[in-house]
Amino acid sequence: MLSQMNEYYLKILNERNIKATARRILILKTMSGFVAAFSLSDLEIALDSVDKSTISRTIHLFHEHQLIHSFEDGSGSVKYSVCSRGCTCSVDELHAHFYCNYCKKAFCLENIAVPAFSLSEGMAVESVNLVIKGYCGKCRKPKHKLK
């Protein structure tokens, strides 16, 4: 079972032309285990036995090879999420993200595409950051009592 799981992650790394190492497999497994988008700090806590510079370099490598994508969640924090298998992180594949004001978690909303923009001549879109803020289904908006 463990070797089958490792084969799955090896295949993903190979598809993105990333040399597989034990640390990269461990980091990818950990990234894939997050239900919500994760920050560098979240990853460092989950991988306390892995050197922080190794985690940071691996995030950069995975991002360069479109294995993960990043976005600003609206709180000043950069979050990451593992891309779907066929994703190339092109502008056409950009999607919205949701940030819960209560639990502070961020989620990909792959079913909500970022709209196309008509820009002035000479301008080109390189990235778009669409974050919807509110309360996730697990949290309830705090009720403010009126006096």
Side-chain angles (χ1 to χ4, degrees):
M1 177 83 167
L2 184 59
S3 63
Q4 285 178 329
M5 187 176 278
N6 283 344
E7 287 296 320
Y8 171 76
Y9 294 110
L10 282 169
K11 186 174 181 179
I12 290 173
L13 291 172
N14 287 333
E15 287 172 358
R16 301 294 176 148
N17 296 314
I18 299 171
K19 182 181 176 188
T21 65
R23 291 283 189 219
R24 290 176 183 164
I25 292 168
L26 175 63
I27 292 170
L28 178 56
K29 279 184 191 179
T30 304
M31 288 176 169
S32 298
F34 284 103
V35 175
F38 55 90
S39 66
L40 172 59
S41 178
D42 295 331
L43 206 51
E44 289 172 348
I45 290 167
L47 294 166
D48 63 349
S49 65
V50 179
D51 180 58
K52 290 180 181 186
S53 63
T54 299
I55 295 170
S56 183
R57 285 193 309 270
T58 302
I59 284 176
H60 182 73
L61 177 70
F62 286 3
H63 196 264
E64 274 186 341
H65 288 262
Q66 291 93 28
L67 179 55
I68 61 173
H69 67 274
S70 64
F71 62 96
E72 295 174 32
D73 68 3
S75 72
S77 179
V78 175
K79 297 288 171 85
Y80 303 93
S81 186
V82 177
C83 295
S84 58
R85 291 288 287 270
C87 179
T88 61
C89 295
S90 69
V91 172
D92 296 336
E93 293 174 311
L94 293 176
H95 56 267
H97 295 89
F98 182 85
Y99 179 78
C100 179
N101 289 320
Y102 188 72
C103 68
K104 311 297 185 209
K105 291 183 181 175
F107 305 89
C108 290
L109 299 175
E110 292 179 359
N111 60 326
I112 301 176
V114 171
F117 296 95
S118 295
L119 301 175
S120 299
E121 187 176 330
M123 295 180 172
V125 176
E126 290 184 347
S127 69
V128 178
N129 191 37
L130 177 59
V131 178
I132 301 166
K133 293 183 177 184
Y135 294 87
C136 70
K138 294 183 179 179
C139 296
R140 289 191 184 162
K141 183 176 179 179
K143 294 182 181 181
H144 298 284
K145 295 182 181 179
L146 298 174
K147 293 184 178 181

